[in-house]
């Protein structure tokens, strides 16, 4: 009796889970988020950058703290094909890779490029990777969301 | 001139900057900088086109546009992505379009400058020729006054003086024809451009027209030894001048004068003064010409009274011929008819009509009156009466002979 009762209960639970799993679901694949040219934006007094062309705005305060830098004149950012944001600036030792989420950017990777600080960094879209150029030294780096390649 | 040199230097400086930055394109490692450089060079070229002050500068800019197009062709996709919805091709096309407009603009300015230079040269040449003719006319007039005693020499001088005036008239007529051709059909845009360019003319065509009219007035007032034919020719020249002025005067003054209304009035007044000067001489000269041919007309002081004098003279002579019907009347008719047909119509006819002294209709009316005078002047023959009387006498004779025979 108890056995039948438990069996009925399991079947009902399985049915309920099956019905829930049949709700609306749509996934688009092979989305290309490539930003062809980097954005160069100046932070405001609150260290907020606003890229009007690609419509993104966020504070760089936490990044500056990571780099132990009080302020910077320009921040350079670019988005790769997968949709990750790559952010760096003059004087940074790293390039920061962020994954966009609902109302936030989650740090995916913090890639060290130098220990002396980048002189005049620039970010170039190169298809399967992002090219970081330090125009002050001529040094170039290849990076992806996973690290230096 | 300084402004032009400054423009030239600034354009050259811009082009050098562009050339220098274009040469760095290959060495550029930042896509962002490549885009920024393209934008800056594009903007500099646009400004250079706007500032360009000559077609030579525009030729240099055309070479820079070619260089820009060639240097950034390899970055077209990058540029297209960065400047969307604009494109690399559309930016180059815009530059070429602006450049073509500027070339066209400067070409028309340079053409206009050439026209002004040409006009200036023509005005100067015309003034020189006119001054030479005027000087010769004054000299001839002085010689005529000094040679009153020597009739043969006087006759030669008067002939030369007359020829000089005729040549001057032809010269002025050519000038007026040229003005008509140029300015009678002149679109507003060209007129505006010409007005701007004409500010550089020391003596413009309107000034020249005023000078010519002033000289005509002087000549008419001071003329010596001229006859009716000469004054009729002057009157024709005045009528032509007046016609040309009516057709292009307003346009000419608007193009060449800062105060077109006043300038137009000045020329109109000069034309009226010239007409008055001709009026002072022409009626007396015509009266003398008729009198010299034994035709005594009533006094006349204008075209209307001149025509009335002619018609009333013919009417009076016709009535006299009807009443008197003598050989003297026929001779009077023949004299008038000869002078009217040979001199008035033959030699003066064109000038009388063109100078607005007699119309074609008025001359036809006088011709009709002359026919009536002719009919009245021919003496009536008595031959028919004599033949009639002889016939009657013969008939009576025959009747009498028949009666006697019976």
């Amino acid at each position: 009796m108890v056995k039948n009762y438990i069996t009925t209960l399991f079947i009902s639970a399985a049915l309920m889970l099956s019905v829930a799993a049949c709700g609306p679901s749509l996934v688009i694949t092979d989305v290309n988020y490539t930003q062809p040219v980097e954005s160069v934006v100046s932070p405001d007094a609150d260290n907020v950058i606003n890229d009007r062309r690609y419509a993104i705005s966020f504070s760089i305060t936490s990044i500056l703290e990571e780099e132990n830098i009080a302020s910077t004149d320009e921040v350079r950012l670019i988005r790769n094909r997968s949709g990750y944001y790559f952010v760096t600036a003059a004087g940074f030792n790293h390039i920061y890779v962020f994954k966009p989420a609902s109302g936030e950017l989650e740090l995916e990777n913090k890639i060290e490029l130098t220990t002396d600080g980048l002189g005049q960094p620039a970010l170039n879209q190169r298809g399967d990777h992002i090219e970081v150029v330090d125009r002050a030294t001529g040094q170039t780096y290849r990076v992806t969301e996973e690290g230096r390649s | 001139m300084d402004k032009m040199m400054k423009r030239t230097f600034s354009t050259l400086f811009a082009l050098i900057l562009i050339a220098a930055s274009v040469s760095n394109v290959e060495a550029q490692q930042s896509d962002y900088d490549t885009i920024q450089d393209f934008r800056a060079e594009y903007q500099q070229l646009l400004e250079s086109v706007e500032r360009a002050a000559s077609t030579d500068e525009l030729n240099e800019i055309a070479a820079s546009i070619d260089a820009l197009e060639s240097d950034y062709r390899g970055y077209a996709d990058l540029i297209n992505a960065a400047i969307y919805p604009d494109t690399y091709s559309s930016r180059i096309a815009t530059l070429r379009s602006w450049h073509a407009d500027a070339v066209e603009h400067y070409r028309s300015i340079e053409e206009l400058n050439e026209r002004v230079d040409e006009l200036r040269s023509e005005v100067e040449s015309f003034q020189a020729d006119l001054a030479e003719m005027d000087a010769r006319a004054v000299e001839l007039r002085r010689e005529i006054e000094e040679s009153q005693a020597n009739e043969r020499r006087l006759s030669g001088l008067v002939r030369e003086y007359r020829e000089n005036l005729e040549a001057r008239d032809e010269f002025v007529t050519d000038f007026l024809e040229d003005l008509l051709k140029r300015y009678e059909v002149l679109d507003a845009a060209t007129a505006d451009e010409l007005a701007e360019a004409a500010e550089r003319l020391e003596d413009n065509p309107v000034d020249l027209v005023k000078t010519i009219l002033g000289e005509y007035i002087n000549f008419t007032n001071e003329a010596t030894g001229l006859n009716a034919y000469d004054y009729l020719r002057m009157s024709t020249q005045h009528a032509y001048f007046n016609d040309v002025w009516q057709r292009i005067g307003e346009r000419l003054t608007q193009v060449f004068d800062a105060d077109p209304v006043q300038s137009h009035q000045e020329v109109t007044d000069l034309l009226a003064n010239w007409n008055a000067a001709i009026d002072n001489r022409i009626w007396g000269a015509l009266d003398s010409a008729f009198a010299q041919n034994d035709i005594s007309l009533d006094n006349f002081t204008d075209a209307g009274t001149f025509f009335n004098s002619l018609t009333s003279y013919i009417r009076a002579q016709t009535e006299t011929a009807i009443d008197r019907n003598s050989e003297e009347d026929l001779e009077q008719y023949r004299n008038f008819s000869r002078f009217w047909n040979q001199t008035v119509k033959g030699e003066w006819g064109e000038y009388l009509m063109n100078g607005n002294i007699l119309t074609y209709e008025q001359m036809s009316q006088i011709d009709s009156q002359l026919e009536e005078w002719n009919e009245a002047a021919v003496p009536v023959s008595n031959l028919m009466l004599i033949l009639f009387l002889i016939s009657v006498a013969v008939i009576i004779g025959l009747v009498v002979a028949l009666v006697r025979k019976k």
Side-chain angles (χ1 to χ4, degrees), chain A residues 14-67:
Chain A
L15 273 171
M16 284 174 72
L17 285 172
S18 301
V19 168
C22 288
S25 171
L26 184 62
V27 176
I28 299 172
T29 56
D30 289 334
V31 176
N32 185 352
Y33 287 103
T34 300
Q35 180 181 324
V37 182
E38 66 178 330
S39 296
V40 180
V41 283
S42 296
D44 65 12
D46 299 325
N47 281 332
V48 173
I49 60 165
N50 186 0
D51 181 1
R52 294 181 191 282
R53 183 170 172 85
Y54 293 102
I56 182 170
S57 171
F58 58 90
S59 169
I60 57 161
T61 304
S62 55
I63 306 176
L64 291 176
E65 285 170 2
E66 285 281 318
E67 289 289 326

Side-chain angles (χ1 to χ4, degrees), chain A residues 36-38 40 53-54 76 122 124-126 131 133 135 138 140, chain B residues 28-33 35 39 77-78 80-85:
Chain A
V37 182
E38 66 178 330
V40 180
R53 183 170 172 85
Y54 293 102
R76 311 178 90 93
N124 295 332
Q125 186 66 253
R126 292 290 179 260
E131 180 185 62
V133 182
R135 291 165 297 163
T140 61
Chain B
Q28 195 62 259
Q29 288 182 301
S30 162
D31 292 349
Y32 176 81
D33 288 347
I35 303 296
R39 281 188 168 129
D77 291 341
L78 184 67
N80 290 346
I83 63 173
Y84 177 84

Side-chain angles (χ1 to χ4, degrees), chain B residues 65-81:
Chain B
I65 294 172
D66 289 342
L68 182 79
E69 184 179 24
S70 146
D71 290 333
Y72 286 93
R73 188 175 289 121
Y75 301 93
D77 291 341
L78 184 67
I79 292 168
N80 290 346

Side-chain angles (χ1 to χ4, degrees), chain B residues 310-345:
Chain B
L310 284 169
T311 53
S312 64
Y313 175 83
I314 296 168
R315 201 180 307 115
Q317 293 297 323
T318 307
E319 283 167 10
T320 305
I322 290 169
D323 293 343
R324 199 166 55 185
N325 194 236
S326 68
E327 278 295 325
E328 191 186 336
D329 296 320
L330 185 60
E331 188 50 40
Q332 191 74 17
Y333 162 77
R334 283 178 179 150
N335 178 56
F336 185 92
S337 178
R338 191 183 313 112
F339 182 66
W340 172 256
N341 287 307
Q342 288 180 3
T343 306
V344 179
K345 281 171 64 182

